[in-house]
Amino acid sequence: MLFLQTGLYAQETGSTSITMNKVRLDFKLNAKGSPVYSVYYNQQPVIQPSSMGFILLEDSSMDKNFELLGTETKKVDESWKPVWGEVNSVRNHYEQVVFHIRQKSGAGHLLDIIFRIFDDGVAFRYEFPKQPALKYFTVADELTQFNMAGDHTAFWIPGDYDSNEYPYTKSRISEVDAWKLAKSATEIAVRVAPDQFAVQTPLLLKTKEGLYINIHEAALVDYSSMQLHVDKASLSLTSKLVPDAVGNKAYLHAPSKTPWRTIIVSDKAPDLLASKMILNLNEPSAIQQTSWIAPMKFIGIWWEMQTGKSTWSYSAYPDSLVNGALIPSGKHGANTTNVKRYIDFAAQNGIKGVLVEGWNTGWEDWFGTWKENVFDFVTPYPDFDVKELKRYAASKSVNIIMHNETSGSATNYDRQMDTAFRFMNENGYTSVKTGYVGRIIPRGEHHDGQWMVNHYLRSIQKAADHKVMIDIHEPTRPTGLHRTYPNFLASEAARGNEFNAFSIGNPPEHETILPFTRLMGGPMDYTPGIFDIKGYAPGVADRQIHTTLAKQLALYVTLYSPLQMAADYPENYDAHKDAFQFIKDVPVDWDDTNIIEAEPGDYITIVRKEKNAANWFAGAITDENNRIAAIPLSFLDNGIKYIATIYADAADADWKTNPGAYKIEQFLVDNKTQLKLKLANGGGAAVSIKPADAVQLKAVKKYK
Ligand code: NOJ
Ligand code: CA
């Protein structure tokens, strides 16, 4: 091995400092021989001196007695083109330094710590080099600290091993109490949050000096998810890995590496939303030929089950097998006639996908019994005609999206996966939505542990082998792996719009927090677009979406995903054809993105340019408070007039009292125009901006 010392200021303690614009990393081995790092932004402390290391089952002292063997540095400034994304080209600009360290005691274990310093923060990972005295080993604990310089405001959800589906709490670090929420959130199927003071990542922090800090991880592969334990007295956050069934955190085999720990920081909130650090830390696409991967919008037989109008199951009785036949309840949503109705609507409106849930047998007792062999993923209910629907969908150029709910029985899915993907290939399904509602099997494993992290990746790879795109519900939260596996279009791993169907729902601020937290790791299948905002849940008068209708439209721009559902019923869209036009028009793949303004918990305004087209789309959302979103259109091409179609809250709209009131107006605009959009309490606005044609140039009035 060659150890270079170039460009570094090294002292006997190994003390090193690297600066990239406003970001500075300091690293040293302290008097105990423990690795210690700190991060500054514009001279302000982001991470106070924090120690690093591990407790291994085989070596409880893998955090001290280290000596520095050498360092290596390199500088990278490159660009790459994502298969799909918010921008068509991503700049990857960083300086890397590797510290090769060795323990002076015991077996003399080797460890490498690799830092990358970006314009917008710092990332690091541990590598265990090949070495004689450390081959197969077990991580009992990772001891990485993130010591905070103050009692910052945190946007957090409980550090639950099995769920990310909580509403966010905004509090001081010292006020974190995961149990309060974990105990009361009975609408979440499985909740396991043993540490009262643990939170999930991505964690967003705001300092009183106005720094925004996001802590998460990138490239989570063959390791368990990192949560953060909060020490209220010292304001220290410590990495806490989700354990397996016997309490271990990860099984490794040297040479091996951990995921990257990421610290993204800026004094401007929009910079966090624009950060590409997590994507950049993931490997380039492992899929060479990607022409079969295509972002899409979809509708589905789905909301009708969420609201209780129809059911996933064919029968109301799990044990109704009389002479081998289930007794139909008459409420089964996934019947051939209904699927055709959705296919017709999709075809008429240029929507590519139709998700059909509840098509396969097993839904009568799918949940809550911890039953292993729950679904087989190939046997349809008697009223779902696979061959006829294959023919019908193809004749209308629509793709039916396969649904594989596993009920948390990952072992069952592992055994069936090859068969399930072959079935998809044979019957024309080019994408699948999987799901993991319930306690995991292997029993004792958790959704966010290493075993399941490997399982989700296996499903993504298997899907890629079969040229199938995948959307995973209830996995661990994403860490940018969609760069490496662009067939991994989206995942849920957060509290989606569905919670508005069956619970107290999502508060109006929810969608202004998600992009700063969960979405930092990757796209979410949030399922926006509900138009019938109140009264959809039989017998529950106050059940409603906690936004206005116009805000539902804005979410197609503010919540980025290459996979976007139009979640409401066809008949509710037919009742608002004018507003539905925005959903028809809005693309799911982009050349460029401008974050105009953003404040977590309060508002977000984003403008994006359609991929390979001259059209722009804007979305502006607010929390429970009304506001005016101003968008200067300076990004438009000079000398060209555009038509802006503005889908806005009506003057008297209000998320609670009058959510359905919207107005749609058209104006001529150019790059000197500044749009001023009035957002109602809990409201939003969506705008499409397209080059004007000759007729529009004459007929449409100028914006003022
Ligand atoms: C939970 C998922 O989030 C939801 O979208 C799905 O309909 C149900 N599980 C059933 O699979
Ligand atoms: Ca879910």
Side-chain angles (χ1 to χ4, degrees):
M1 257 188 283
L2 185 66
F3 298 137
L4 301 174
Q5 293 269 352
T6 49
L8 286 177
Y9 177 62
Q11 289 179 346
E12 267 162 45
T13 55
S15 189
T16 300
S17 196
I18 293 184
T19 301
M20 171 80 88
N21 293 323
K22 295 178 179 165
V23 177
R24 187 177 105 213
L25 165 82
D26 288 355
F27 177 84
K28 66 173 181 207
L29 293 176
N30 70 10
K32 284 193 210 144
S34 297
V36 174
Y37 78 102
S38 40
V39 176
Y40 296 82
Y41 182 88
N42 239 350
Q43 328 297 344
Q44 295 175 54
V46 177
I47 305 288
Q48 304 261 45
S50 295
S51 54
M52 317 175 88
F54 297 89
I55 298 175
L56 307 184
L57 279 193
E58 299 78 4
D59 178 357
S60 61
S61 69
M62 196 77 180
D63 63 334
K64 50 183 151 322
N65 293 327
F66 283 103
E67 61 182 344
L68 184 68
L69 296 182
T71 58
E72 285 174 89
T73 62
K74 69 171 181 183
K75 289 183 182 168
V76 170
D77 193 355
E78 62 186 15
S79 288
W80 55 277
K81 291 203 172 303
V83 176
W84 43 261
E86 295 178 86
V87 293
N88 59 21
S89 176
V90 178
R91 183 179 180 205
N92 184 19
H93 179 214
Y94 65 87
E95 186 162 342
Q96 173 170 295
V97 53
V98 184
F99 296 96
H100 300 281
I101 58 178
R102 177 175 60 198
Q103 278 189 304
K104 290 180 279 186
S105 52
H109 287 151
L110 298 170
L111 184 66
D112 290 346
I113 306 180
I114 302 166
F115 285 94
R116 286 188 184 172
I117 300 92
F118 296 83
D119 296 297
D120 56 355
V122 169
F124 59 88
R125 78 177 345 160
Y126 302 93
E127 284 197 17
F128 299 90
K130 195 170 175 297
Q131 51 194 294
L134 196 66
K135 290 203 165 92
Y136 291 90
F137 60 101
T138 305
V139 176
D141 263 314
E142 185 188 312
L143 302 173
T144 309
Q145 288 183 331
F146 305 84
N147 290 337
M148 295 295 124
D151 195 4
H152 309 323
T153 300
F155 294 78
W156 59 272
I157 57 174
D160 190 309
Y161 297 168
D162 285 284
S163 181
N164 287 272
E165 302 194 355
Y166 290 92
Y168 288 89
T169 301
K170 175 184 173 183
S171 80
R172 292 302 176 100
I173 295 173
S174 63
E175 291 163 356
V176 164
D177 181 351
W179 282 356
K180 230 161 114 185
L181 201 55
K183 289 209 169 107
S184 63
T186 50
E187 69 274 20
I188 299 171
V190 182
R191 303 180 324 277
V192 179
D195 182 346
Q196 187 177 2
F197 305 111
V199 297
Q200 297 278 21
T201 72
L203 173 70
L204 177 72
L205 301 156
K206 185 179 179 186
T207 73
K208 68 174 188 305
E209 292 79 21
L211 281 189
Y212 299 83
I213 305 168
N214 182 285
I215 301 178
H216 188 38
E217 61 181 322
L220 170 57
V221 175
D222 198 16
Y223 203 74
S224 67
S225 310
M226 179 180 75
Q227 306 185 339
L228 296 169
H229 171 80
V230 176
D231 185 303
K232 295 168 170 230
S234 63
L235 301 175
S236 163
L237 312 174
T238 308
S239 112
K240 223 194 140 204
L241 303 177
V242 173
D244 76 346
V246 296
N248 292 325
K249 307 297 168 56
Y251 301 88
L252 302 181
H253 176 197
S256 60
K257 50 195 178 222
T258 69
W260 294 94
R261 276 66 187 93
T262 58
I263 301 148
I264 301 173
V265 55
S266 178
D267 51 7
K268 291 178 202 69
D271 289 355
L272 261 64
L273 302 187
S275 175
K276 298 287 172 282
M277 186 203 285
I278 288 175
L279 266 184
N280 278 326
L281 291 164
N282 278 272
E283 298 298 320
S285 179
I287 303 170
Q288 301 315 322
Q289 202 275 95
T290 55
S291 59
W292 53 276
I293 298 171
M296 69 169 155
K297 287 173 279 188
F298 68 104
I299 56 169
I301 300 189
W302 180 76
W303 189 244
E304 52 183 87
M305 281 88 91
Q306 297 290 340
T307 58
K309 186 177 158 198
S310 68
T311 57
W312 284 272
S313 65
Y314 176 76
S315 174
Y317 312 100
D319 303 317
S320 70
L321 279 169
V322 181
N323 302 329
L326 286 165
I327 301 165
S329 68
K331 281 190 75 184
H332 182 222
N335 64 76
T336 304
T337 314
N338 201 26
V339 179
K340 285 188 175 176
R341 186 170 74 90
Y342 277 76
I343 291 174
D344 290 344
F345 181 84
Q348 280 154 21
N349 292 287
I351 306 272
K352 253 201 270 173
V354 174
L355 168 71
V356 182
E357 297 200 359
W359 69 276
N360 59 331
T361 58
W363 288 90
E364 282 72 22
D365 59 355
W366 72 285
F367 173 70
T369 60
W370 223 2
K371 162 175 156 185
E372 183 157 8
N373 296 328
V374 46
F375 290 109
D376 72 5
F377 314 101
V378 293
T379 309
Y381 278 126
D383 59 348
F384 181 89
D385 187 335
V386 175
K387 296 287 172 234
E388 169 57 12
L389 286 169
K390 176 187 179 185
R391 184 200 66 77
Y392 194 78
S395 77
K396 303 259 169 163
S397 301
V398 166
N399 293 312
I400 306 181
I401 300 174
M402 169 51 57
H403 184 230
N404 286 175
E405 172 60 61
T406 69
S407 186
S409 181
T411 45
N412 181 48
Y413 197 43
D414 272 334
R415 289 192 289 265
Q416 316 269 346
M417 235 186 248
D418 284 312
T419 312
F421 282 109
R422 266 198 304 271
F423 181 86
M424 290 177 226
N425 285 166
E426 279 159 17
N427 293 294
Y429 296 86
T430 55
S431 52
V432 61
K433 169 179 168 181
T434 59
Y436 296 85
V437 177
R439 282 183 291 176
I440 295 297
I441 302 180
R443 297 188 181 90
E445 293 298 332
H446 296 288
H447 285 76
D448 290 7
Q450 184 187 22
W451 198 94
M452 285 302 292
V453 163
N454 289 342
H455 170 86
Y456 304 128
L457 184 52
R458 203 151 54 233
S459 73
I460 293 167
Q461 289 167 330
K462 190 78 52 178
D465 291 347
H466 289 82
K467 292 195 165 40
V468 169
M469 293 170 275
I470 188 165
D471 167 22
I472 312 179
H473 276 232
E474 298 88 28
T476 184
R477 72 284 180 280
T479 59
L481 276 176
H482 53 289
R483 176 179 179 190
T484 314
Y485 302 97
N487 68 316
F488 177 27
L489 291 185
S491 60
E492 189 190 38
R495 193 176 179 94
N497 220 9
E498 67 184 30
F499 275 80
N500 287 311
F502 56 77
S503 78
I504 53 165
N506 306 341
E509 66 173 10
H510 187 60
E511 297 94 346
T512 70
I513 302 172
L514 280 173
F516 286 98
T517 52
R518 154 68 181 76
L519 267 68
M520 294 295 293
M524 175 176 180
D525 180 17
Y526 187 72
T527 70
I530 300 299
F531 279 12
D532 181 21
I533 292 192
K534 269 186 173 174
Y536 46 72
V540 199
D542 61 348
R543 185 68 44 86
Q544 72 161 104
I545 302 289
H546 298 77
T547 77
T548 63
L549 188 148
K551 183 170 169 182
Q552 288 289 306
L553 296 178
L555 296 177
Y556 289 88
V557 181
T558 60
L559 290 177
Y560 166 69
S561 177
L563 185 73
Q564 289 278 25
M565 187 171 201
D568 211 338
Y569 311 146
E571 55 269 36
N572 291 340
Y573 292 137
D574 280 337
H576 299 279
K577 283 205 162 75
D578 55 352
F580 187 64
Q581 188 62 41
F582 183 80
I583 298 181
K584 286 172 72 169
D585 290 348
V586 70
V588 277
D589 200 8
W590 308 96
D591 269 338
D592 204 3
T593 288
N594 300 340
I595 319 288
I596 306 288
E597 50 171 13
E599 179 62 25
D602 293 341
Y603 54 83
I604 294 179
T605 304
I606 296 180
V607 175
R608 303 186 198 267
K609 180 173 173 290
E610 180 171 358
K611 184 92 152 244
N612 299 324
N615 307 326
W616 291 79
F617 292 81
I621 60 168
T622 182
D623 62 1
E624 66 284 359
N625 302 308
N626 64 70
R627 72 187 303 268
I628 292 182
I631 309 179
L633 302 184
S634 51
F635 49 82
L636 294 178
D637 280 352
N638 203 17
I640 297 186
K641 298 272 184 230
Y642 295 77
I643 291 287
T645 308
I646 303 177
Y647 303 76
D649 294 321
D652 58 350
D654 177 286
W655 74 270
K656 196 163 186 142
T657 56
N658 193 19
Y662 62 90
K663 63 165 191 276
I664 301 173
E665 289 179 295
Q666 282 199 328
F667 300 99
L668 275 183
V669 298
D670 59 27
N671 66 355
K672 310 216 166 45
T673 308
Q674 185 179 58
L675 296 180
K676 286 213 166 89
L677 307 171
K678 258 192 84 188
L679 317 182
N681 301 331
V687 189
S688 69
I689 304 170
K690 305 178 181 182
D693 62 29
V695 179
Q696 290 168 324
L697 273 176
K698 288 206 184 110
V700 179
K701 59 182 180 292
K702 265 183 74 178
Y703 184 84
K704 47 174 191 314

